[in-house]
Amino acid sequence: LCIWGGWRRGLIRTAAGLLGYGAALLLSGVLAQPAAELVYNRWLAEPCAAILEQKMEQYHLADSIQQTLNAYGVQLDDASLQQIADQTGLPAELLRQGLSQSIDSAASQMFTGLPDWMSEAILPKQDSQELQNRAVQSAALVLSGDTHQAAAKLTEMYVQPVVVSIVKTFTFSVLFLLISALIQGIIKGLFAMRRTESGHL
């Protein structure tokens, strides 16, 4: 059917149509990421942070983490929290274990009811230095007491990559449809002009 349709349309017109779809695919791939980030920053970032802030207060995350740390005999002041939040390396192993366990416990309550793939994306199970650092920094942000700032930062660290990835897929599809329709329209217009004497010249 494709060969027959191509034979009826002609080689140049068929090749032009295929090139148009290829160009639409390329442009969509280039534009999808910045477009998704624009959509997220303009319409989704604040609602996501507000929901996370509400959940943090609802489940008393700061108290949960502090209780776990107390059970390990770890006491933290504001200066220590700021140092943990700013540094890239891990603090003492005991501190890391206490913070990671409290994050896991709080997360199991907070993300109940979400699809498994979303929980896995926000809190991956793989154990790596980067994830351990991020868990410690997250706990320090929660313990700071500023739930608004903590929610904004946690949204940036965990939620933004997941949401932008989902929006990027949708944005790519929409862009591809729009750009391909535009290019195909231009191609058809050029071939329609070609039938006239001036267009042929």
Side-chain angles (χ1 to χ4, degrees), residues 102-137:
S102 23
I103 283 288
D104 291 340
S105 173
S108 65
Q109 298 178 52
M110 179 182 292
F111 296 115
T112 300
L114 285 183
D116 293 338
W117 64 266
M118 186 175 291
S119 300
E120 174 66 18
I122 296 173
L123 290 171
K125 294 182 174 62
Q126 295 88 354
D127 193 20
S128 69
Q129 185 81 7
E130 180 185 354
L131 291 177
Q132 291 173 8
N133 288 340
R134 203 163 61 171
V136 171
Q137 291 171 352

PDB file of all heavy atoms in Angstrom, residues 102-137:
ATOM      1  N   SER A 102      14.400   7.499  59.001  1.00  0.00           N
ATOM      2  CA  SER A 102      13.228   8.345  59.223  1.00  0.00           C
ATOM      3  C   SER A 102      12.614   8.823  57.926  1.00  0.00           C
ATOM      4  O   SER A 102      11.396   8.932  57.805  1.00  0.00           O
ATOM      5  CB  SER A 102      13.569   9.537  60.099  1.00  0.00           C
ATOM      6  OG  SER A 102      14.915   9.866  60.072  1.00  0.00           O
ATOM      7  N   ILE A 103      13.456   9.101  56.919  1.00  0.00           N
ATOM      8  CA  ILE A 103      12.929   9.470  55.604  1.00  0.00           C
ATOM      9  C   ILE A 103      12.108   8.326  55.027  1.00  0.00           C
ATOM     10  O   ILE A 103      11.005   8.517  54.503  1.00  0.00           O
ATOM     11  CB  ILE A 103      14.077   9.827  54.643  1.00  0.00           C
ATOM     12  CG1 ILE A 103      14.592  11.230  54.956  1.00  0.00           C
ATOM     13  CG2 ILE A 103      13.625   9.780  53.185  1.00  0.00           C
ATOM     14  CD1 ILE A 103      13.671  12.341  54.551  1.00  0.00           C
ATOM     15  N   ASP A 104      12.642   7.090  55.130  1.00  0.00           N
ATOM     16  CA  ASP A 104      11.916   5.925  54.594  1.00  0.00           C
ATOM     17  C   ASP A 104      10.583   5.744  55.308  1.00  0.00           C
ATOM     18  O   ASP A 104       9.555   5.472  54.684  1.00  0.00           O
ATOM     19  CB  ASP A 104      12.748   4.650  54.750  1.00  0.00           C
ATOM     20  CG  ASP A 104      13.959   4.646  53.840  1.00  0.00           C
ATOM     21  OD1 ASP A 104      13.937   5.413  52.852  1.00  0.00           O
ATOM     22  OD2 ASP A 104      14.902   3.887  54.102  1.00  0.00           O
ATOM     23  N   SER A 105      10.586   5.906  56.639  1.00  0.00           N
ATOM     24  CA  SER A 105       9.362   5.738  57.413  1.00  0.00           C
ATOM     25  C   SER A 105       8.328   6.801  57.047  1.00  0.00           C
ATOM     26  O   SER A 105       7.154   6.507  56.834  1.00  0.00           O
ATOM     27  CB  SER A 105       9.684   5.813  58.908  1.00  0.00           C
ATOM     28  OG  SER A 105       8.503   5.817  59.674  1.00  0.00           O
ATOM     29  N   ALA A 106       8.777   8.047  56.959  1.00  0.00           N
ATOM     30  CA  ALA A 106       7.863   9.127  56.598  1.00  0.00           C
ATOM     31  C   ALA A 106       7.361   8.966  55.178  1.00  0.00           C
ATOM     32  O   ALA A 106       6.188   9.199  54.881  1.00  0.00           O
ATOM     33  CB  ALA A 106       8.567  10.468  56.764  1.00  0.00           C
ATOM     34  N   ALA A 107       8.258   8.537  54.288  1.00  0.00           N
ATOM     35  CA  ALA A 107       7.867   8.382  52.891  1.00  0.00           C
ATOM     36  C   ALA A 107       6.830   7.284  52.730  1.00  0.00           C
ATOM     37  O   ALA A 107       5.901   7.403  51.936  1.00  0.00           O
ATOM     38  CB  ALA A 107       9.096   8.064  52.041  1.00  0.00           C
ATOM     39  N   SER A 108       6.953   6.217  53.508  1.00  0.00           N
ATOM     40  CA  SER A 108       5.989   5.124  53.385  1.00  0.00           C
ATOM     41  C   SER A 108       4.591   5.585  53.782  1.00  0.00           C
ATOM     42  O   SER A 108       3.599   5.101  53.252  1.00  0.00           O
ATOM     43  CB  SER A 108       6.418   3.941  54.257  1.00  0.00           C
ATOM     44  OG  SER A 108       6.378   4.296  55.624  1.00  0.00           O
ATOM     45  N   GLN A 109       4.509   6.536  54.709  1.00  0.00           N
ATOM     46  CA  GLN A 109       3.203   7.098  55.068  1.00  0.00           C
ATOM     47  C   GLN A 109       2.723   8.095  54.015  1.00  0.00           C
ATOM     48  O   GLN A 109       1.577   8.071  53.596  1.00  0.00           O
ATOM     49  CB  GLN A 109       3.283   7.808  56.416  1.00  0.00           C
ATOM     50  CG  GLN A 109       3.643   6.928  57.593  1.00  0.00           C
ATOM     51  CD  GLN A 109       3.733   7.733  58.870  1.00  0.00           C
ATOM     52  OE1 GLN A 109       2.811   8.457  59.214  1.00  0.00           O
ATOM     53  NE2 GLN A 109       4.844   7.617  59.569  1.00  0.00           N
ATOM     54  N   MET A 110       3.641   8.962  53.580  1.00  0.00           N
ATOM     55  CA  MET A 110       3.246  10.053  52.694  1.00  0.00           C
ATOM     56  C   MET A 110       2.790   9.545  51.337  1.00  0.00           C
ATOM     57  O   MET A 110       1.830  10.039  50.763  1.00  0.00           O
ATOM     58  CB  MET A 110       4.415  11.032  52.496  1.00  0.00           C
ATOM     59  CG  MET A 110       4.076  12.182  51.566  1.00  0.00           C
ATOM     60  SD  MET A 110       5.458  13.292  51.306  1.00  0.00           S
ATOM     61  CE  MET A 110       5.622  14.007  52.914  1.00  0.00           C
ATOM     62  N   PHE A 111       3.490   8.537  50.794  1.00  0.00           N
ATOM     63  CA  PHE A 111       3.225   8.139  49.418  1.00  0.00           C
ATOM     64  C   PHE A 111       2.289   6.934  49.313  1.00  0.00           C
ATOM     65  O   PHE A 111       2.210   6.297  48.281  1.00  0.00           O
ATOM     66  CB  PHE A 111       4.550   7.844  48.710  1.00  0.00           C
ATOM     67  CG  PHE A 111       5.420   9.058  48.588  1.00  0.00           C
ATOM     68  CD1 PHE A 111       6.629   9.130  49.237  1.00  0.00           C
ATOM     69  CD2 PHE A 111       5.007  10.153  47.855  1.00  0.00           C
ATOM     70  CE1 PHE A 111       7.429  10.258  49.131  1.00  0.00           C
ATOM     71  CE2 PHE A 111       5.790  11.288  47.743  1.00  0.00           C
ATOM     72  CZ  PHE A 111       7.003  11.341  48.397  1.00  0.00           C
ATOM     73  N   THR A 112       1.609   6.594  50.405  1.00  0.00           N
ATOM     74  CA  THR A 112       0.633   5.516  50.339  1.00  0.00           C
ATOM     75  C   THR A 112      -0.460   5.880  49.339  1.00  0.00           C
ATOM     76  O   THR A 112      -1.009   6.962  49.378  1.00  0.00           O
ATOM     77  CB  THR A 112       0.011   5.266  51.718  1.00  0.00           C
ATOM     78  OG1 THR A 112       1.052   4.918  52.627  1.00  0.00           O
ATOM     79  CG2 THR A 112      -1.023   4.164  51.658  1.00  0.00           C
ATOM     80  N   GLY A 113      -0.776   4.944  48.458  1.00  0.00           N
ATOM     81  CA  GLY A 113      -1.826   5.180  47.476  1.00  0.00           C
ATOM     82  C   GLY A 113      -1.320   5.652  46.130  1.00  0.00           C
ATOM     83  O   GLY A 113      -2.059   5.653  45.155  1.00  0.00           O
ATOM     84  N   LEU A 114      -0.054   6.081  46.038  1.00  0.00           N
ATOM     85  CA  LEU A 114       0.499   6.478  44.748  1.00  0.00           C
ATOM     86  C   LEU A 114       0.892   5.241  43.956  1.00  0.00           C
ATOM     87  O   LEU A 114       1.197   4.205  44.525  1.00  0.00           O
ATOM     88  CB  LEU A 114       1.742   7.358  44.942  1.00  0.00           C
ATOM     89  CG  LEU A 114       1.524   8.808  45.381  1.00  0.00           C
ATOM     90  CD1 LEU A 114       2.865   9.517  45.433  1.00  0.00           C
ATOM     91  CD2 LEU A 114       0.599   9.538  44.449  1.00  0.00           C
ATOM     92  N   PRO A 115       0.909   5.335  42.631  1.00  0.00           N
ATOM     93  CA  PRO A 115       1.378   4.203  41.824  1.00  0.00           C
ATOM     94  C   PRO A 115       2.817   3.852  42.169  1.00  0.00           C
ATOM     95  O   PRO A 115       3.610   4.718  42.550  1.00  0.00           O
ATOM     96  CB  PRO A 115       1.278   4.736  40.386  1.00  0.00           C
ATOM     97  CG  PRO A 115       0.318   5.873  40.455  1.00  0.00           C
ATOM     98  CD  PRO A 115       0.456   6.458  41.827  1.00  0.00           C
ATOM     99  N   ASP A 116       3.158   2.555  42.034  1.00  0.00           N
ATOM    100  CA  ASP A 116       4.506   2.098  42.387  1.00  0.00           C
ATOM    101  C   ASP A 116       5.579   2.810  41.582  1.00  0.00           C
ATOM    102  O   ASP A 116       6.644   3.142  42.103  1.00  0.00           O
ATOM    103  CB  ASP A 116       4.618   0.577  42.173  1.00  0.00           C
ATOM    104  CG  ASP A 116       3.747  -0.190  43.157  1.00  0.00           C
ATOM    105  OD1 ASP A 116       3.411   0.384  44.207  1.00  0.00           O
ATOM    106  OD2 ASP A 116       3.406  -1.345  42.862  1.00  0.00           O
ATOM    107  N   TRP A 117       5.301   3.047  40.281  1.00  0.00           N
ATOM    108  CA  TRP A 117       6.325   3.658  39.444  1.00  0.00           C
ATOM    109  C   TRP A 117       6.636   5.076  39.902  1.00  0.00           C
ATOM    110  O   TRP A 117       7.760   5.542  39.812  1.00  0.00           O
ATOM    111  CB  TRP A 117       5.903   3.670  37.978  1.00  0.00           C
ATOM    112  CG  TRP A 117       4.687   4.506  37.686  1.00  0.00           C
ATOM    113  CD1 TRP A 117       3.389   4.083  37.629  1.00  0.00           C
ATOM    114  CD2 TRP A 117       4.650   5.909  37.425  1.00  0.00           C
ATOM    115  NE1 TRP A 117       2.554   5.136  37.361  1.00  0.00           N
ATOM    116  CE2 TRP A 117       3.297   6.266  37.219  1.00  0.00           C
ATOM    117  CE3 TRP A 117       5.632   6.894  37.331  1.00  0.00           C
ATOM    118  CZ2 TRP A 117       2.908   7.559  36.932  1.00  0.00           C
ATOM    119  CZ3 TRP A 117       5.238   8.202  37.051  1.00  0.00           C
ATOM    120  CH2 TRP A 117       3.893   8.514  36.852  1.00  0.00           C
ATOM    121  N   MET A 118       5.619   5.778  40.459  1.00  0.00           N
ATOM    122  CA  MET A 118       5.854   7.153  40.897  1.00  0.00           C
ATOM    123  C   MET A 118       6.653   7.172  42.204  1.00  0.00           C
ATOM    124  O   MET A 118       7.590   7.967  42.357  1.00  0.00           O
ATOM    125  CB  MET A 118       4.526   7.887  41.074  1.00  0.00           C
ATOM    126  CG  MET A 118       4.693   9.372  41.379  1.00  0.00           C
ATOM    127  SD  MET A 118       3.112  10.256  41.453  1.00  0.00           S
ATOM    128  CE  MET A 118       2.616  10.207  39.737  1.00  0.00           C
ATOM    129  N   SER A 119       6.310   6.279  43.129  1.00  0.00           N
ATOM    130  CA  SER A 119       7.077   6.196  44.369  1.00  0.00           C
ATOM    131  C   SER A 119       8.525   5.836  44.084  1.00  0.00           C
ATOM    132  O   SER A 119       9.448   6.375  44.690  1.00  0.00           O
ATOM    133  CB  SER A 119       6.449   5.152  45.297  1.00  0.00           C
ATOM    134  OG  SER A 119       5.117   5.492  45.608  1.00  0.00           O
ATOM    135  N   GLU A 120       8.730   4.907  43.147  1.00  0.00           N
ATOM    136  CA  GLU A 120      10.091   4.492  42.787  1.00  0.00           C
ATOM    137  C   GLU A 120      10.859   5.633  42.145  1.00  0.00           C
ATOM    138  O   GLU A 120      12.060   5.792  42.376  1.00  0.00           O
ATOM    139  CB  GLU A 120      10.023   3.296  41.833  1.00  0.00           C
ATOM    140  CG  GLU A 120      11.363   2.853  41.251  1.00  0.00           C
ATOM    141  CD  GLU A 120      12.313   2.304  42.305  1.00  0.00           C
ATOM    142  OE1 GLU A 120      11.844   1.940  43.399  1.00  0.00           O
ATOM    143  OE2 GLU A 120      13.519   2.245  42.036  1.00  0.00           O
ATOM    144  N   ALA A 121      10.172   6.456  41.355  1.00  0.00           N
ATOM    145  CA  ALA A 121      10.840   7.579  40.695  1.00  0.00           C
ATOM    146  C   ALA A 121      11.232   8.653  41.701  1.00  0.00           C
ATOM    147  O   ALA A 121      12.293   9.270  41.590  1.00  0.00           O
ATOM    148  CB  ALA A 121       9.933   8.165  39.620  1.00  0.00           C
ATOM    149  N   ILE A 122      10.356   8.896  42.689  1.00  0.00           N
ATOM    150  CA  ILE A 122      10.638   9.944  43.670  1.00  0.00           C
ATOM    151  C   ILE A 122      11.659   9.469  44.706  1.00  0.00           C
ATOM    152  O   ILE A 122      12.541  10.217  45.107  1.00  0.00           O
ATOM    153  CB  ILE A 122       9.328  10.381  44.354  1.00  0.00           C
ATOM    154  CG1 ILE A 122       8.392  11.020  43.320  1.00  0.00           C
ATOM    155  CG2 ILE A 122       9.600  11.364  45.479  1.00  0.00           C
ATOM    156  CD1 ILE A 122       7.031  11.334  43.865  1.00  0.00           C
ATOM    157  N   LEU A 123      11.520   8.242  45.145  1.00  0.00           N
ATOM    158  CA  LEU A 123      12.447   7.689  46.142  1.00  0.00           C
ATOM    159  C   LEU A 123      13.017   6.373  45.622  1.00  0.00           C
ATOM    160  O   LEU A 123      12.533   5.298  45.976  1.00  0.00           O
ATOM    161  CB  LEU A 123      11.727   7.454  47.472  1.00  0.00           C
ATOM    162  CG  LEU A 123      11.323   8.711  48.237  1.00  0.00           C
ATOM    163  CD1 LEU A 123      10.423   8.346  49.410  1.00  0.00           C
ATOM    164  CD2 LEU A 123      12.555   9.431  48.744  1.00  0.00           C
ATOM    165  N   PRO A 124      14.026   6.405  44.764  1.00  0.00           N
ATOM    166  CA  PRO A 124      14.587   5.172  44.210  1.00  0.00           C
ATOM    167  C   PRO A 124      15.133   4.269  45.307  1.00  0.00           C
ATOM    168  O   PRO A 124      15.618   4.739  46.336  1.00  0.00           O
ATOM    169  CB  PRO A 124      15.708   5.671  43.284  1.00  0.00           C
ATOM    170  CG  PRO A 124      15.404   7.102  43.043  1.00  0.00           C
ATOM    171  CD  PRO A 124      14.706   7.596  44.272  1.00  0.00           C
ATOM    172  N   LYS A 125      15.071   2.961  45.049  1.00  0.00           N
ATOM    173  CA  LYS A 125      15.538   1.991  46.038  1.00  0.00           C
ATOM    174  C   LYS A 125      17.042   1.733  45.921  1.00  0.00           C
ATOM    175  O   LYS A 125      17.641   1.163  46.813  1.00  0.00           O
ATOM    176  CB  LYS A 125      14.771   0.673  45.888  1.00  0.00           C
ATOM    177  CG  LYS A 125      13.290   0.796  46.236  1.00  0.00           C
ATOM    178  CD  LYS A 125      12.600  -0.547  46.119  1.00  0.00           C
ATOM    179  CE  LYS A 125      11.153  -0.472  46.619  1.00  0.00           C
ATOM    180  NZ  LYS A 125      10.340   0.452  45.843  1.00  0.00           N
ATOM    181  N   GLN A 126      17.656   2.103  44.809  1.00  0.00           N
ATOM    182  CA  GLN A 126      19.081   1.874  44.656  1.00  0.00           C
ATOM    183  C   GLN A 126      19.853   2.684  45.700  1.00  0.00           C
ATOM    184  O   GLN A 126      19.532   3.843  45.946  1.00  0.00           O
ATOM    185  CB  GLN A 126      19.566   2.275  43.254  1.00  0.00           C
ATOM    186  CG  GLN A 126      18.970   1.432  42.144  1.00  0.00           C
ATOM    187  CD  GLN A 126      17.643   1.979  41.648  1.00  0.00           C
ATOM    188  OE1 GLN A 126      17.125   2.924  42.220  1.00  0.00           O
ATOM    189  NE2 GLN A 126      17.097   1.374  40.624  1.00  0.00           N
ATOM    190  N   ASP A 127      20.842   2.039  46.281  1.00  0.00           N
ATOM    191  CA  ASP A 127      21.637   2.688  47.324  1.00  0.00           C
ATOM    192  C   ASP A 127      22.929   3.195  46.708  1.00  0.00           C
ATOM    193  O   ASP A 127      23.761   2.421  46.266  1.00  0.00           O
ATOM    194  CB  ASP A 127      21.935   1.688  48.448  1.00  0.00           C
ATOM    195  CG  ASP A 127      22.480   2.383  49.684  1.00  0.00           C
ATOM    196  OD1 ASP A 127      22.272   3.596  49.802  1.00  0.00           O
ATOM    197  OD2 ASP A 127      23.112   1.708  50.506  1.00  0.00           O
ATOM    198  N   SER A 128      23.098   4.498  46.662  1.00  0.00           N
ATOM    199  CA  SER A 128      24.308   5.083  46.099  1.00  0.00           C
ATOM    200  C   SER A 128      24.713   6.276  46.948  1.00  0.00           C
ATOM    201  O   SER A 128      23.938   6.771  47.769  1.00  0.00           O
ATOM    202  CB  SER A 128      24.089   5.523  44.656  1.00  0.00           C
ATOM    203  OG  SER A 128      23.205   6.630  44.606  1.00  0.00           O
ATOM    204  N   GLN A 129      25.935   6.735  46.755  1.00  0.00           N
ATOM    205  CA  GLN A 129      26.437   7.887  47.510  1.00  0.00           C
ATOM    206  C   GLN A 129      25.566   9.116  47.256  1.00  0.00           C
ATOM    207  O   GLN A 129      25.232   9.860  48.186  1.00  0.00           O
ATOM    208  CB  GLN A 129      27.881   8.176  47.095  1.00  0.00           C
ATOM    209  CG  GLN A 129      28.559   9.274  47.888  1.00  0.00           C
ATOM    210  CD  GLN A 129      29.082   8.767  49.220  1.00  0.00           C
ATOM    211  OE1 GLN A 129      29.044   7.576  49.461  1.00  0.00           O
ATOM    212  NE2 GLN A 129      29.535   9.669  50.059  1.00  0.00           N
ATOM    213  N   GLU A 130      25.179   9.315  45.997  1.00  0.00           N
ATOM    214  CA  GLU A 130      24.361  10.483  45.655  1.00  0.00           C
ATOM    215  C   GLU A 130      23.013  10.432  46.350  1.00  0.00           C
ATOM    216  O   GLU A 130      22.534  11.439  46.893  1.00  0.00           O
ATOM    217  CB  GLU A 130      24.169  10.555  44.144  1.00  0.00           C
ATOM    218  CG  GLU A 130      23.336  11.747  43.692  1.00  0.00           C
ATOM    219  CD  GLU A 130      23.067  11.731  42.193  1.00  0.00           C
ATOM    220  OE1 GLU A 130      23.631  10.862  41.499  1.00  0.00           O
ATOM    221  OE2 GLU A 130      22.301  12.590  41.734  1.00  0.00           O
ATOM    222  N   LEU A 131      22.372   9.257  46.355  1.00  0.00           N
ATOM    223  CA  LEU A 131      21.069   9.134  46.998  1.00  0.00           C
ATOM    224  C   LEU A 131      21.186   9.303  48.508  1.00  0.00           C
ATOM    225  O   LEU A 131      20.302   9.869  49.152  1.00  0.00           O
ATOM    226  CB  LEU A 131      20.450   7.772  46.665  1.00  0.00           C
ATOM    227  CG  LEU A 131      20.012   7.580  45.214  1.00  0.00           C
ATOM    228  CD1 LEU A 131      19.489   6.166  45.004  1.00  0.00           C
ATOM    229  CD2 LEU A 131      18.941   8.586  44.850  1.00  0.00           C
ATOM    230  N   GLN A 132      22.280   8.799  49.100  1.00  0.00           N
ATOM    231  CA  GLN A 132      22.475   8.969  50.537  1.00  0.00           C
ATOM    232  C   GLN A 132      22.650  10.456  50.878  1.00  0.00           C
ATOM    233  O   GLN A 132      22.077  10.952  51.847  1.00  0.00           O
ATOM    234  CB  GLN A 132      23.690   8.166  50.989  1.00  0.00           C
ATOM    235  CG  GLN A 132      23.474   6.656  50.920  1.00  0.00           C
ATOM    236  CD  GLN A 132      24.743   5.876  51.216  1.00  0.00           C
ATOM    237  OE1 GLN A 132      25.740   6.464  51.621  1.00  0.00           O
ATOM    238  NE2 GLN A 132      24.701   4.585  51.013  1.00  0.00           N
ATOM    239  N   ASN A 133      23.444  11.142  50.075  1.00  0.00           N
ATOM    240  CA  ASN A 133      23.617  12.581  50.281  1.00  0.00           C
ATOM    241  C   ASN A 133      22.289  13.312  50.194  1.00  0.00           C
ATOM    242  O   ASN A 133      21.987  14.203  50.991  1.00  0.00           O
ATOM    243  CB  ASN A 133      24.577  13.159  49.235  1.00  0.00           C
ATOM    244  CG  ASN A 133      26.018  12.752  49.485  1.00  0.00           C
ATOM    245  OD1 ASN A 133      26.371  12.361  50.581  1.00  0.00           O
ATOM    246  ND2 ASN A 133      26.835  12.848  48.466  1.00  0.00           N
ATOM    247  N   ARG A 134      21.505  12.922  49.200  1.00  0.00           N
ATOM    248  CA  ARG A 134      20.235  13.596  48.979  1.00  0.00           C
ATOM    249  C   ARG A 134      19.269  13.331  50.132  1.00  0.00           C
ATOM    250  O   ARG A 134      18.514  14.217  50.543  1.00  0.00           O
ATOM    251  CB  ARG A 134      19.629  13.135  47.648  1.00  0.00           C
ATOM    252  CG  ARG A 134      18.654  14.121  47.067  1.00  0.00           C
ATOM    253  CD  ARG A 134      18.396  13.841  45.615  1.00  0.00           C
ATOM    254  NE  ARG A 134      17.827  12.524  45.393  1.00  0.00           N
ATOM    255  CZ  ARG A 134      17.342  12.096  44.231  1.00  0.00           C
ATOM    256  NH1 ARG A 134      17.367  12.902  43.197  1.00  0.00           N
ATOM    257  NH2 ARG A 134      16.847  10.907  44.095  1.00  0.00           N
ATOM    258  N   ALA A 135      19.291  12.109  50.673  1.00  0.00           N
ATOM    259  CA  ALA A 135      18.430  11.782  51.809  1.00  0.00           C
ATOM    260  C   ALA A 135      18.804  12.613  53.027  1.00  0.00           C
ATOM    261  O   ALA A 135      17.945  13.128  53.746  1.00  0.00           O
ATOM    262  CB  ALA A 135      18.516  10.294  52.132  1.00  0.00           C
ATOM    263  N   VAL A 136      20.100  12.760  53.257  1.00  0.00           N
ATOM    264  CA  VAL A 136      20.562  13.554  54.396  1.00  0.00           C
ATOM    265  C   VAL A 136      20.185  15.021  54.211  1.00  0.00           C
ATOM    266  O   VAL A 136      19.702  15.678  55.139  1.00  0.00           O
ATOM    267  CB  VAL A 136      22.092  13.391  54.559  1.00  0.00           C
ATOM    268  CG1 VAL A 136      22.616  14.371  55.601  1.00  0.00           C
ATOM    269  CG2 VAL A 136      22.421  11.967  54.968  1.00  0.00           C
ATOM    270  N   GLN A 137      20.394  15.564  53.028  1.00  0.00           N
ATOM    271  CA  GLN A 137      20.046  16.959  52.762  1.00  0.00           C
ATOM    272  C   GLN A 137      18.540  17.177  52.904  1.00  0.00           C
ATOM    273  O   GLN A 137      18.099  18.204  53.422  1.00  0.00           O
ATOM    274  CB  GLN A 137      20.512  17.344  51.363  1.00  0.00           C
ATOM    275  CG  GLN A 137      22.027  17.407  51.231  1.00  0.00           C
ATOM    276  CD  GLN A 137      22.474  17.584  49.797  1.00  0.00           C
ATOM    277  OE1 GLN A 137      21.668  17.523  48.877  1.00  0.00           O
ATOM    278  NE2 GLN A 137      23.762  17.801  49.604  1.00  0.00           N
TER     279      GLN A 137
END
